[in-house]
């Protein structure tokens, strides 16, 4: 079973949805047969690399609300995160452009470390108050994930490196009509939009697994007995 997840590292519901899917997978008896792949999606590609705005000021400007309203909305999201075992610290979050973070994740995928770096990027932004558009921060996270720091800095310094992979994911999102994240596609057939409850993910896993098993069973169209050869010989003149 393959699950593709379109998400962004500054999307709170992407982190919550990721954790709920992981909870569902933890209790799924066939989890070793599930392949999870992360796909890039930039919520705001125009986010500046450096800004003096706080996250509350940025949200207020984006959604046409007051800073106090933005703080209240963020507090509600933080409560949802807490229910998923996550600690969101909105007051200290650093608004970040995520293009380079996605490029790093694509490089990490080529090194077999996609899941590890994705978790570290989300934790760095939402809990540790890191600027994940900063190359030094990204190199620190990569190094902590077992990647070579200097190689990572070299890749980040080349805007073309793994940029095509990021743009490819975003092009695929447009083809699917994905306008919001997180967005989960299972076996290129079923879609789940948003940070759904753990039970929703569990139900989807069970449904798709059952469908896969049914599809793997051949329908017998023989129409009756037929001569065959087996391990102990061939059925000749009705006798083996």
């Amino acid at each position: 079973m393959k699950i593709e997840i379109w998400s962004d590292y500054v999307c709170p519901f992407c982190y919550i949805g990721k954790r709920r899917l992981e909870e569902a997978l933890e209790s799924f008896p066939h989890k070793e047969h599930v392949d999870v792949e992360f796909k890039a999606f930039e919520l705001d590609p125009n986010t500046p690399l450096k800004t003096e705005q706080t996250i509350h000021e940025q949200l207020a400007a984006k959604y046409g609300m007051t800073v106090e309203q933005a703080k209240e909305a963020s507090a509600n999201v933080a409560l949802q995160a807490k229910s998923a075992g996550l600690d969101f610290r909105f007051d200290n979050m650093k608004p970040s452009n995520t293009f380079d973070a996605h490029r790093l994740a694509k490089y990490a995928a080529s090194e077999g470390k996609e899941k590890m770096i994705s978790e570290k990027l989300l934790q760095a932004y939402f809990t540790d108050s890191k600027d994940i558009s900063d190359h030094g921060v990204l190199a620190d996270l990569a190094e902590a994930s077992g990647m070579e720091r200097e190689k990572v800095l070299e890749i980040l310094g080349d805007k073309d490196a793994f940029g095509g992979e990021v743009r490819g994911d975003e092009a695929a999102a447009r083809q699917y009509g994905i306008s919001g994240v997180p967005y989960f596609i299972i076996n290129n057939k079923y879609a789940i939009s948003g940070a759904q409850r753990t039970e929703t993910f569990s139900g989807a896993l069970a449904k798709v697994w059952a469908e896969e098993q049914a599809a793997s069973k051949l329908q017998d169209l023989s129409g009756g007995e037929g001569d065959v050869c087996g391990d102990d010989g061939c059925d000749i003149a009705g006798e083996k």
Side-chain angles (χ1 to χ4, degrees):
M1 187 187 309
K2 184 174 183 180
I3 303 177
E4 298 170 294
I5 309 173
W6 273 263
S7 62
D8 198 5
Y9 297 113
V10 295
C11 164
F13 297 114
C14 292
Y15 202 1
I16 295 171
K18 174 178 177 291
R19 189 61 86 243
R20 289 175 179 170
L21 172 63
E22 289 168 346
E23 290 174 355
L25 284 170
E26 189 59 33
S27 59
F28 184 56
H30 313 289
K31 59 186 176 182
E32 69 274 12
H33 299 292
V34 180
D35 177 33
V36 177
E37 181 179 338
F38 294 93
K39 299 289 189 178
F41 189 101
E42 294 174 274
L43 285 173
D44 186 359
N46 297 315
T47 299
L49 292 176
K50 297 295 179 182
T51 179
E52 296 301 318
Q53 280 187 318
T54 66
I55 191 67
H56 299 303
E57 291 169 341
Q58 186 188 65
L59 291 173
K62 182 175 182 179
Y63 295 108
M65 59 176 67
T66 67
V67 170
E68 287 305 313
Q69 288 172 325
K71 288 182 178 180
E72 183 177 348
S74 297
N76 290 332
V77 174
L79 284 176
Q80 290 190 51
K82 188 174 182 179
S83 71
L86 300 171
D87 181 16
F88 282 12
R89 302 175 185 176
F90 280 98
D91 288 342
N92 298 318
M93 283 181 194
K94 306 288 192 302
S96 302
N97 183 291
T98 58
F99 180 64
D100 286 345
H102 284 297
R103 290 199 299 124
L104 171 60
K106 290 303 178 186
Y107 170 60
S110 73
E111 296 284 305
K113 299 183 180 297
E114 179 186 37
K115 292 180 182 178
M116 185 181 298
I117 199 66
S118 292
E119 176 66 26
K120 287 187 178 297
L121 283 164
L122 288 163
Q123 180 178 328
Y125 182 76
F126 285 103
T127 303
D128 299 335
S129 306
K130 301 290 186 180
D131 177 2
I132 59 170
S133 59
D134 182 272
H135 287 188
V137 170
L138 294 175
D140 288 343
L141 298 175
E143 189 172 23
S145 301
M147 287 181 274
E148 186 181 339
R149 182 184 184 86
E150 292 308 314
K151 178 63 176 178
V152 168
L153 287 171
E154 178 185 338
I155 288 170
L156 293 173
D158 178 1
K159 286 297 182 183
D160 292 329
F162 293 92
E165 288 83 344
V166 174
R167 297 304 183 214
D169 284 355
E170 293 173 339
R174 289 191 293 272
Q175 290 178 341
Y176 279 119
I178 299 172
S179 58
V181 288
Y183 199 92
F184 308 79
I185 294 181
I186 306 176
N187 284 358
N188 203 33
K189 182 177 181 180
Y190 295 102
I192 298 175
S193 177
Q196 300 291 336
R197 298 182 307 164
T198 299
E199 292 78 9
T200 298
F201 288 114
S202 294
L205 291 169
K207 174 183 174 63
V208 176
W209 178 262
E211 183 180 272
E212 283 186 338
Q213 300 315 298
S216 67
K217 296 178 181 178
L218 300 177
Q219 296 185 46
D220 192 344
L221 303 178
S222 304
E225 295 292 332
D227 296 332
V228 298
C229 291
D231 292 339
D232 55 351
C234 296
D235 187 2
I236 299 175
E239 298 182 356
K240 289 188 178 179

